[in-house]
Amino acid sequence: MKIVYRKYGGALHWNHLGKLLGEDEHGVWVAVPSGTVARKGEGPPVTWQTDCLMLFPRDAWWTATFHSLPHTCEIYVDVTTVPEWRDGEMTMFDLDLDVIRMRDGRLFLDDEDEFAEHQVLLGYPRDMIVRAEETARWLLAAVERREEPFGGAHLRWMGEG
């Protein structure tokens, strides 16, 4: 399956292939093995060095990536519009904000500057801005408290890719 992140307005962002594993109460799980070639927009190909598992919830404004060792990032959560199947692709708008938990336990919100810039440059609607900010706050708390699906729900899917 193809995974396609776009920026608001439709510009191509990160895009790559993945292997559909299945679905549970948290959403759709997709394996992305090491060696996968990804591109940021039309930029040069980037080869991923470690396996990861992606989660696309059915009705939430985020997508999550769970990285395998030795990657130093454990969980990377993009604030996005609700992921949708469209023309054989899982697609969504990336809204810049990222909640990241490193393996050493550090947790932070990334790309607030990009989010502020894109509100003006890309013309984010006010309700989208509010929803993205609310989602980022919720994600920070949920990832910190290791609430599911950020507390180990991904482990049952890790070996299936």
Side-chain angles (χ1 to χ4, degrees):
M1 71 176 282
K2 187 149 186 173
I3 299 164
V4 179
Y5 286 83
R6 294 189 177 278
K7 287 298 186 176
Y8 187 70
L12 188 60
H13 193 45
W14 282 106
N15 58 101
H16 56 85
L17 296 176
K19 178 184 174 192
L20 178 63
L21 297 177
E23 193 169 347
D24 66 11
E25 67 273 18
H26 304 297
V28 177
W29 294 91
V30 176
V32 182
S34 63
T36 295
V37 176
R39 295 180 94 115
K40 189 173 185 178
E42 299 296 337
V46 176
T47 302
W48 291 9
Q49 300 301 310
T50 56
D51 296 335
C52 68
L53 183 65
M54 299 185 79
L55 173 60
F56 300 98
R58 286 181 221 85
D59 59 0
W61 281 57
W62 54 267
T63 66
T65 303
F66 301 85
H67 293 279
S68 68
L69 288 167
H71 203 289
T72 57
C73 174
E74 182 182 9
I75 300 174
Y76 192 104
V77 188
D78 289 283
V79 175
T80 68
T81 56
V82 175
E84 333 178 328
W85 287 103
R86 183 179 300 151
D87 300 325
E89 301 175 345
M90 180 66 77
T91 189
M92 67 293 302
F93 289 126
D94 180 296
L95 299 176
D96 314 309
L97 298 172
D98 306 303
V99 172
I100 301 169
R101 185 169 77 206
M102 304 302 287
R103 291 213 185 272
D104 64 10
R106 286 179 296 138
L107 176 68
F108 56 94
L109 179 62
D110 199 23
D111 291 335
E112 292 176 279
D113 55 340
E114 188 178 328
F115 180 64
E117 180 183 319
H118 284 170
Q119 288 176 43
V120 175
L121 186 65
L122 299 178
Y124 290 173
R126 182 72 190 137
D127 60 332
M128 181 180 282
I129 294 167
V130 169
R131 187 66 180 260
E133 291 171 338
E134 289 172 350
T135 299
R137 282 192 300 276
W138 178 83
L139 285 166
L140 275 168
V143 173
E144 181 177 42
R145 290 191 299 261
R146 297 180 184 265
E147 293 175 9
E148 294 303 354
F150 310 110
H154 67 288
L155 295 174
R156 77 173 265 231
W157 299 96
M158 282 300 267
E160 295 187 30

